[in-house]
Amino acid sequence: MGLWWGVRDELKKLEATVSSIHNMLLDAEEQQKQNRQVKGWLEKLQEIVYDADDLVDDFATEALRRQVMTGNRLTKEVTLFFSSSNRLVYGFKMGHKIKAVREKLADIEADRQFRLEVRTGERRYTTMVRDQTVSSVPEVVIGREGDKKAIIELLLASNSKGNVSVLSIVGIGGLGKTTLAQFIFNDERIKNYFELKIWVCVSDPFDVKIIVRKILETATCKKSEDLELEALASQLGNILNGKRYLLVLDDVWNEDCEKWDNLKKILLGGSSGSKILVTTRSKIVAQISSTEEPYLLEGLSPSKSWSLFLHVALRGQEPKDSKIKKIVEEIVKKCVGVPLAIKTIASLLCYKYSENEWGTFLENELSKVAQNENDILPTLKLSYDHLSSPLKHCFAYCALFPKGYKIDVKTLIHLWVAQGFIESSSSTDCADDIGLKYFMELWWRDRHYHKSCWIVKYKKIADVSFATSNIFFGNIT
């Protein structure tokens, strides 16, 4: 295609412009965290890059069309298609498009009013190495023993209003509501008291029919038929009738009273002592659903926060250096008692830095994060900032899937490859294998931060060099 009139020169000029900008992107990516001007520049650049990407797709499509047409017999239509006038018109049109993109890129580069350093090396992904016994060790829950005891007492207490009562655990994201509910759900006293235990992740949207089907499938361990709500409710009533059950509805967002009442009517068939435990971030949800006073989950105490950080970052060992100890205290303080923030920062430091570099991290990165006990996203974003560029693209791409959606990992990797997110240093590297390494690093990081977020099942596939998985993005938003 580049041999056509005017196109070759424009492609060379575009290549030179792109190369000059590309060498500064790594520095820009680092600076955008603290410099809004750099961030705005990158956003403008991204729009032009999308135009260039469309241009490349146009070339690829045209080349494929010509390749297909060449394989056919030369009819009058094919002869006209390959006529010199046709090639000239296409080349002229594409030459102008390339020139327009190149000029836009040159304008963006000329408008840059900040200094960027040239970097030649990308921070590549690294395959994590961990002890073989880690995956078999159950997650340790630190600092929630008191909450567990209090909630279990409420669940085992006799109902004051009807056979089935509802208790809500309320708190901001990252406090560990789901982990606490799992902690309670698997307690021996709960197992011995309730005849039937059911766990359902609700999330959005709050669809009564879907929730009832999920409850049925969990209770029977069988795939439910696609029946009308009335039939599903009847089946569930037969299962719950006369039984003292515990139903956990995890991650509820619905603030519509009517929807909740419709669901609750279906769940009233249990015997006296049955309980529904709801976890939610919304106090309104708790007020709508609860028949008992909602349990307000708070952040960990300073001492428990300290213990959790040490467990993740230093295997429970106290730092011997008093200076390091003081730095850890400041880091833990910035996490405002939110377990997810503590585990995320501790894991990041454990993986990225030596103890001597923790002070630099606190001063240069964590100190610039706004401390807000009701919003932990800025703190969590630090772990995202430390991903390599390819991993950032792959991770962000997963946001296209709805929350709770089951994704086949083989398909996910193929989508990453199709989007051009997989980078290879050698033409002999298999893109699928590199994609699996990307996935495993993201999976390893998430398991290290909060194991309960991902449920992974592997199965061997013949003649395929990587495993496939089914993965639930349960707590990923």
Side-chain angles (χ1 to χ4, degrees):
M1 293 302 189
L3 295 176
W4 295 338
W5 180 83
V7 175
R8 175 190 284 274
D9 289 341
E10 288 301 333
L11 281 174
K12 285 185 176 180
K13 291 176 183 177
L14 178 61
E15 183 180 15
T17 305
V18 170
S19 295
S20 65
I21 295 176
H22 181 266
N23 291 334
M24 294 180 289
L25 284 181
L26 290 175
D27 190 42
E29 188 177 33
E30 292 293 325
Q31 287 196 34
Q32 71 165 330
K33 301 170 193 174
Q34 288 85 35
N35 191 327
R36 289 189 176 183
Q37 193 178 23
V38 177
K39 185 178 181 181
W41 182 79
L42 281 174
E43 287 173 353
K44 291 179 183 177
L45 179 62
Q46 186 178 37
E47 291 301 317
I48 306 302
V49 169
Y50 286 152
D51 291 341
D53 194 42
D54 291 341
L55 205 61
V56 173
D57 285 344
D58 196 317
F59 269 117
T61 303
E62 184 69 11
L64 184 60
R65 284 176 59 195
R66 291 180 180 271
Q67 184 180 355
V68 171
M69 296 295 282
T70 305
N72 296 335
R73 288 182 296 180
L74 289 177
T75 63
K76 181 178 179 181
E77 181 183 354
V78 175
T79 304
L80 179 62
F81 181 83
F82 283 112
S83 67
S84 59
S85 61
N86 184 286
R87 291 198 299 269
L88 186 63
V89 170
Y90 184 81
F92 187 76
K93 180 181 71 172
M94 296 306 292
H96 275 283
K97 286 187 176 182
I98 296 169
K99 184 178 180 180
V101 169
R102 179 176 58 79
E103 288 177 348
K104 287 180 182 179
L105 285 172
D107 289 343
I108 287 178
E109 173 61 9
D111 289 342
R112 179 168 55 85
Q113 298 176 355
F114 43 85
R115 185 173 178 274
L116 293 175
E117 295 180 2
V118 174
R119 298 189 187 180
T120 56
E122 163 71 284
R123 183 172 59 223
R124 298 288 178 182
Y125 69 86
T126 54
T127 302
M128 305 289 188
V129 178
R130 56 195 172 105
D131 296 339
Q132 293 296 312
T133 57
V134 170
S135 61
S136 63
V137 177
E139 184 177 11
V140 176
V141 181
I142 295 176
R144 293 303 186 194
E145 291 80 6
D147 297 302
K148 175 186 175 183
K149 181 180 178 182
I151 293 174
I152 286 179
E153 288 177 356
L154 292 172
L155 292 176
L156 299 184
S158 59
N159 292 342
S160 56
K161 299 178 182 179
N163 289 343
V164 182
S165 58
V166 185
L167 173 65
S168 296
I169 303 176
V170 188
I172 67 167
L175 275 183
K177 300 180 294 297
T178 297
T179 300
L180 176 59
Q182 290 172 333
F183 201 21
I184 293 165
F185 191 79
N186 292 292
D187 186 85
E188 284 299 321
R189 288 169 291 175
I190 295 295
K191 290 180 180 178
N192 295 332
Y193 183 77
F194 293 100
E195 300 172 68
L196 180 63
K197 295 193 308 165
I198 304 169
W199 180 288
V200 172
C201 181
V202 178
S203 297
D204 266 347
F206 190 93
D207 187 308
V208 175
K209 182 178 177 180
I210 292 175
I211 296 171
V212 171
R213 185 186 295 133
K214 285 183 178 180
I215 295 173
L216 267 173
E217 290 177 352
T218 304
T220 61
C221 298
K222 293 189 298 184
K223 183 74 174 176
S224 178
E225 296 180 58
D226 188 15
L227 304 174
E228 293 300 318
L229 178 59
E230 185 68 28
L232 293 172
S234 177
Q235 288 183 9
L236 182 58
N238 293 334
I239 293 173
L240 299 181
N241 187 34
K243 291 183 180 177
R244 184 163 57 203
Y245 70 85
L246 170 65
L247 169 63
V248 176
L249 297 176
D250 185 41
D251 194 30
V252 178
W253 293 82
N254 170 61
E255 296 182 353
D256 186 327
C257 292
E258 185 178 353
K259 287 184 177 180
W260 173 255
D261 288 340
N262 290 338
L263 176 62
K264 191 176 178 182
K265 290 174 185 176
I266 300 172
L267 301 174
L268 294 178
S271 67
S272 178
S274 296
K275 304 281 184 176
I276 300 173
L277 183 62
V278 173
T279 69
T280 180
R281 299 185 190 186
S282 169
K283 291 182 179 179
I284 296 176
V285 171
Q287 292 169 359
I288 290 172
S289 61
S290 299
T291 59
E292 301 182 18
E293 189 69 24
Y295 190 90
L296 301 179
L297 192 62
E298 299 179 350
L300 298 179
S301 66
S303 62
K304 297 299 183 183
S305 298
W306 171 265
S307 298
L308 179 58
F309 183 92
L310 294 185
H311 174 75
V312 177
L314 296 172
R315 298 179 180 271
Q317 301 297 315
E318 291 266 355
K320 298 178 181 179
D321 190 324
S322 59
K323 184 180 178 181
I324 297 295
K325 186 174 182 179
K326 188 174 181 181
I327 291 171
V328 172
E329 289 174 349
E330 289 297 318
I331 292 173
V332 171
K333 185 179 179 181
K334 288 286 290 183
C335 295
V336 294
V338 179
L340 181 56
I342 295 170
K343 289 192 283 185
T344 300
I345 296 301
S347 299
L348 179 62
L349 292 175
C350 177
Y351 166 59
K352 282 285 182 183
Y353 300 95
S354 66
E355 290 181 33
N356 294 329
E357 296 174 297
W358 288 5
T360 304
F361 171 81
L362 174 62
E363 182 179 346
N364 295 341
E365 299 195 53
L366 195 55
S367 63
K368 296 174 183 176
V369 175
Q371 182 176 335
N372 186 348
E373 61 182 10
N374 294 318
D375 185 11
I376 63 168
L377 286 180
T379 305
L380 298 181
K381 188 176 179 295
L382 287 174
S383 61
Y384 171 80
D385 290 338
H386 280 259
L387 294 175
S388 65
S389 292
L391 284 178
K392 284 180 180 177
H393 286 303
C394 292
F395 178 76
Y397 187 80
C398 295
L400 294 175
F401 298 96
K403 187 175 181 180
Y405 185 83
K406 185 189 291 188
I407 304 171
D408 180 77
V409 172
K410 182 177 179 181
T411 302
L412 178 64
I413 292 172
H414 287 170
L415 290 170
W416 286 346
V417 173
Q419 292 292 333
F421 296 157
I422 306 299
E423 291 191 1
S424 173
S425 57
S426 171
S427 59
T428 60
D429 292 339
C430 175
D432 286 346
D433 288 342
I434 298 173
L436 178 62
K437 290 179 181 179
Y438 284 8
F439 168 77
M440 290 305 297
E441 177 164 349
L442 291 172
W443 177 74
W444 185 91
R445 286 170 181 268
D446 194 78
R447 278 183 63 86
H448 200 58
Y449 297 161
H450 34 94
K451 294 180 184 178
S452 62
C453 289
W454 299 51
I455 305 171
V456 179
K457 297 179 181 179
Y458 286 98
K459 55 183 179 179
K460 294 181 180 178
I461 304 295
D463 300 324
V464 177
S465 58
F466 58 92
T468 61
S469 314
N470 288 328
I471 178 168
F472 292 83
F473 286 77
N475 295 338
I476 303 298
T477 57

